[in-house]
Amino acid sequence: MARNIQSLERAAAMLRLLAGGERRLGLSDIASSLGLAKGTAHGILRTLQQEGFVEQDEPSGRYQLGAELLRLGTTYLDVHELRARALVWTDDLARASGESVHLGVLHQQGVLVVHHVFRPDDSRQVLEIGAMQPLHSTALGKVLSAYDPVAHSEALEADRKAFTDRTVSDLEDFEQILDLTRARGWAADVEETWEGVASVAAPIHDRRRMPVGAVGITGAVERVCRDGELRPELIAAVRDCARAVSRDLGAGRF
């Protein structure tokens, strides 16, 4: 019978320890709890920190689980399952809103469009499945940045390019937008990415209530907005769609 690798066993035990009990633990607490020498424990923590599995709070020096674990934890949810669960609801949203619908997930410091429902009219449209959208300026991207710690970190590290005069690039202003997004449960993009185009999006959660994607509608400003503000019935429709998909993924009521 093959022997287990001791260093991996210790790293796994360390992650389990950080996952339970107190939010943050010091080096001495971790070492004594696992019966390890401080030097050994510190070496493992340093490696886990370099890989993003552990983060260290600078003021206190204590350790906690890192955002990379969230990325790994959500990989069990196949993108195809997310798309399959959303098919009926996104079709309904397109019919109810009269606008195109996009389903997006975090991918390589941006939003990957994994499903696109055309606007229900006879206009010529281009299928955007596989297209990438920026995190900082689109409604889908803001939602992911507000609810997903990994997306948040990537949005802060990325070059927040100004696509129009309305694009918010300043870090402090961007963080305020994310706070507002979390407070109201949806995000907007009114000519921040494309002139004459507005969108609204809401988050989708899985059975563990972790953010796994975002759904939104996109259309001409004159249709999506009224008197300079997003039409409330469209916001409500997008949020209802996001809740419905989340329920189908086992998230329960929000």
Side-chain angles (χ1 to χ4, degrees):
M1 182 175 178
R3 296 177 59 186
N4 292 338
I5 300 175
Q6 188 180 55
S7 59
L8 292 180
E9 288 183 330
R10 288 172 170 174
M14 198 168 287
L15 293 175
R16 293 192 187 98
L17 178 65
L18 291 170
E22 296 183 29
R23 177 175 169 79
R24 297 189 179 102
L25 292 174
L27 174 61
S28 297
D29 298 325
I30 295 171
S32 61
S33 295
L34 299 179
L36 300 174
K38 281 188 179 181
T40 301
H42 185 258
I44 296 172
L45 284 168
R46 187 173 62 248
T47 301
L48 291 173
Q49 186 177 0
Q50 290 171 349
E51 296 300 323
F53 299 142
V54 166
E55 296 174 355
Q56 186 178 30
D57 178 61
E58 291 187 7
S60 67
R62 291 175 172 265
Y63 295 89
Q64 64 184 26
L65 293 179
E68 183 65 18
L69 284 175
L70 176 62
R71 186 196 296 274
L72 294 180
T74 57
T75 56
Y76 84 95
L77 179 67
D78 192 275
V79 166
H80 296 298
E81 180 186 354
L82 174 61
R83 182 175 179 273
R85 298 286 187 179
L87 286 177
V88 173
W89 300 112
T90 50
D91 283 347
D92 288 347
L93 177 59
R95 283 193 294 269
S97 66
E99 303 296 344
S100 63
V101 176
H102 295 86
L103 183 70
V105 298
L106 176 65
H107 181 68
Q108 294 181 352
Q109 293 190 322
V111 183
L112 174 66
V113 176
V114 297
H115 184 52
H116 175 201
V117 183
F118 282 163
R119 186 172 61 255
D121 58 21
D122 295 327
S123 63
R124 185 175 180 179
Q125 300 172 63
V126 177
L127 189 65
E128 297 181 19
I129 294 176
M132 292 291 294
Q133 295 186 4
L135 286 170
H136 70 286
S137 63
T138 62
L140 292 174
K142 292 176 193 175
V143 164
L144 292 175
S145 299
Y147 287 90
D148 183 339
V150 177
H152 181 225
S153 296
E154 293 187 350
L156 298 188
E157 294 171 1
D159 177 23
R160 291 180 297 280
K161 178 182 176 181
F163 298 103
T164 73
D165 292 341
R166 293 173 174 262
T167 306
V168 176
S169 300
D170 179 75
L171 178 57
E172 184 175 345
D173 293 340
F174 180 63
E175 288 283 27
Q176 289 179 357
I177 288 175
L178 298 188
D179 289 340
L180 179 60
T181 297
R182 285 185 286 267
R184 63 189 182 183
W186 55 273
D189 166 12
V190 180
E191 297 189 283
E192 293 180 48
T193 310
W194 303 281
E195 295 282 357
V197 177
S199 60
V200 58
I204 295 173
H205 297 79
D206 66 6
R207 62 181 60 88
R208 295 173 297 171
R209 300 208 169 190
M210 288 186 173
V212 293
V215 63
I217 61 169
T218 301
V221 171
E222 58 267 24
R223 295 195 307 267
V224 178
C225 297
R226 182 188 300 128
D227 298 326
E229 299 291 337
L230 286 163
R231 290 165 52 194
E233 65 270 25
L234 294 182
I235 297 172
V238 169
R239 298 192 69 191
D240 287 345
C241 177
R243 291 190 189 103
V245 178
S246 296
R247 285 196 298 270
D248 277 3
L249 291 171
R253 283 192 166 275
F254 273 82

